[in-house]
Amino acid sequence: MPQEPDYKAAYEILDQALREADRVLRQAHLRTVLRIQQETGQLDPEDETSEL
């Protein structure tokens, strides 16, 4: 009997990977925005910790 690919499991793994990638990219974006604001003087170092 040939083995059929488990498309549902593959889809769930892909969905989880995409969600994790989205989370990582959003976090990187937030850190970048905060760093730029701090470097341009728009944000004090103390403000950064209170925002997170």
Side-chain angles (χ1 to χ4, degrees), residues 2-37:
Q3 289 183 315
E4 293 291 324
D6 189 351
Y7 292 112
K8 183 178 180 187
Y11 176 80
E12 289 172 355
I13 291 168
L14 177 60
D15 186 56
Q16 181 180 358
L18 288 172
R19 289 177 190 271
E20 180 67 13
D22 182 59
R23 184 190 68 77
V24 168
L25 290 172
R26 287 177 185 270
Q27 187 177 43
H29 176 73
L30 176 61
R31 288 181 179 182
T32 300
V33 168
L34 289 174
R35 186 172 48 243
I36 289 170
Q37 287 178 347

